[in-house]
Every structure is written in structure tokens, then in C-alpha cells.
Amino acid sequence: AQTVTQSQPEMSVQEAETVTLSCTYDTSESDYYLFWYKQPPSRQMILVIRQEAYKQQNATENRFSVNFQKAAKSFSLKISDSQLGDAAMYFCASVFQGAQKLVFGQGTRLTINP
Amino acid sequence: DAGVIQSPRHEVTEMGQEVTLRCKPISGHNSLFWYRQTMMRGLELLIYFNNNVPIDDSGMPEDRFSAKMPNASFSTLKIQPSEPRDSAVYFCASSLVRTDGKTQYFGPGTRLLVL
């Protein structure tokens, strides 16, 4: 079975500092897509960043970047210069080859301390 | 450009009543997904459509749930009769598979409470 695992139920960071959220996945396929979604208290699911497995270069979006380690099946999210608005639940997810269904991790609740 | 639109945003109903959730995908997207989020089970896919055709409904919990997509700009998820265990947040998402790398964009969700 293809799975996505987030081993950190909760994380906290001081405002303006950097935090890394971990995600691992399990698949035997070579072609897939990886995503990080943010879910603030409003419950809206917001796309943060996307990584195609065939691309070696790590994706970046402003203060958000990923560390994609394909051999280790690891896909961590780094948030630089944390802001109060970054406080949310963060979900790692994947769409595996030949499928369209998103497989989600359990989520990591991120708290930003002022 | 408008995102995925869902209605209603909140629904409170009594056990046994029929509930209809509505979704308008992003214009031009050809895939539509219905997800359910609960504390116990997390996010789970209920059903998805490609070009208005249901492709995988294996996540639909039971016959009380049904989904339709009569055209490219509208889908419904119906629960009849509703039960308290159906209480959850229901999300609709859409994507344009060929050009957008399977990225799914979510609506704001419908928070359903069945009493």
C-alpha cells in the first residue's frame, strides 16, 4: 500500500525563526507528485508547495522550501522567517503514478510563538 | 479567477433528513474530487470524476451516499438518510490533470453536523 507518514503531531517555533516539518512516504513507483497543504483554523485546505518526483531540484515558494530525498523517500517542508499567520495544520500528501487520489499524512500542528 | 465554490458552508440537520452538498469546480478543470475529514479518520477520498464521469467511488461509505456531476461546472454529494456519524467537514477539490501535475485545489469545505 502507498502511504504517507508525518511523525510529528505537533511542532512549535518562535516567530521569525526557521522550522522543518517531516514527511516520509512509501511507494515502489518512480513517478509521483508530492504536496504540502496548510489548513488554518478556517479549515480551508491551501496548497503550499508541490514537487514532481522526476525533478531533482527542490521546490521553493518564497519562505517555503522542501528537502526532497527520493532515495530516502523523504519530503520535508522548511518554513523560514516564521510568521504568526503560518500557524496551522500542515498536511503532506502524494499522488502516485497512475492514480489521481491524494494520499494524506496525519498532519502536523504548527504553533508560532510571538 | 474564482476558486472552488462549495455550498452551504455550514449545515445542521437532524438524523434521517436528506442532505445535499454542492460544488462548483474551477472553470476549465476536468477532474473533481469529494473528500471527507474527521478527527478519527483524517482526510479520505469519497469519489472522483473525470470529465463528469465517476471513476472511483470505492470510498463512498455506503448506499446512503450518492454523488453526481451533471455537467462540467456542478457536482452534488447527497446523503439520504443522514446519521450522526456522517458529521464531518466535506471538501470538494478540482484539478486539470494534464497541464497542472495532478495538483488539486480545494474549496472551503462544508461543515456538516447531524443531530
Side-chain angles (χ1 to χ4, degrees):
Chain A
Q2 293 153 334
T3 60
V4 176
T5 302
Q6 294 177 250
S7 59
Q8 306 156 314
E10 296 183 352
M11 293 280 286
S12 63
V13 64
Q14 289 297 125
E15 190 177 6
E17 293 189 348
T18 295
V19 63
T20 298
L21 308 184
S22 301
C23 173
T24 58
Y25 56 92
D26 187 20
T27 182
S28 58
E29 296 171 357
S30 60
D31 185 21
Y32 46 89
Y33 297 82
L34 297 163
F35 306 89
W36 280 97
Y37 284 90
K38 167 185 177 182
Q39 188 177 40
S42 67
R43 295 295 196 116
Q44 173 86 47
M45 292 288 287
I46 302 165
L47 177 68
V48 175
I49 200 165
R50 177 184 78 190
Q51 175 81 43
E52 292 90 339
Y54 64 85
K55 290 187 177 179
Q56 293 186 344
Q57 186 173 7
N58 289 326
T60 63
E61 288 287 342
N62 300 314
R63 298 183 295 108
F64 298 86
S65 61
V66 299
N67 183 5
F68 175 46
Q69 300 289 327
K70 192 170 184 178
K73 297 180 182 177
S74 170
F75 181 60
S76 60
L77 174 70
K78 185 172 81 171
I79 307 174
S80 304
D81 186 24
S82 299
Q83 300 175 359
L84 295 178
D86 295 334
M89 197 77 166
Y90 285 81
F91 290 95
C92 179
S94 182
V95 176
F96 297 105
Q97 183 178 11
Q100 287 185 253
K101 157 182 155 176
L102 271 169
V103 177
F104 286 93
Q106 302 90 328
T108 297
R109 184 174 302 282
L110 178 64
T111 301
I112 311 296
N113 300 314
Chain B
D1 186 23
V4 176
I5 298 172
Q6 290 187 248
S7 64
R9 295 291 305 276
H10 302 273
E11 178 80 24
V12 180
T13 190
E14 293 187 347
M15 184 174 62
Q17 296 297 306
E18 177 180 295
V19 175
T20 299
L21 310 182
R22 297 173 177 80
C23 176
K24 176 179 170 56
I26 293 172
S27 177
H29 280 191
N30 57 357
S31 294
L32 184 139
F33 305 81
W34 283 100
Y35 291 89
R36 179 171 68 175
Q37 185 180 32
T38 62
M39 289 294 293
M40 293 297 293
R41 301 173 66 92
L43 279 150
E44 51 183 346
L45 177 70
L46 300 177
I47 185 171
Y48 78 90
F49 297 83
N50 279 351
N51 298 314
N52 312 338
V53 177
I55 302 300
D56 182 357
D57 65 355
S58 59
M60 296 285 263
E62 48 198 271
D63 292 346
R64 297 184 298 106
F65 286 69
S66 63
K68 294 181 180 180
M69 192 165 186
N71 57 61
S73 58
F74 183 66
S75 177
T76 59
L77 178 67
K78 186 175 294 186
I79 308 172
Q80 167 63 20
S82 58
E83 297 182 2
R85 59 189 168 128
D86 302 330
S87 298
V89 180
Y90 291 81
F91 288 102
C92 177
S94 71
S95 72
L96 181 59
V97 175
R98 286 199 182 89
T99 62
D100 200 20
K102 300 192 177 186
T103 302
Q104 295 181 24
Y105 299 90
F106 284 74
T110 294
R111 189 171 298 193
L112 174 64
L113 178 61
V114 183
L115 302 174

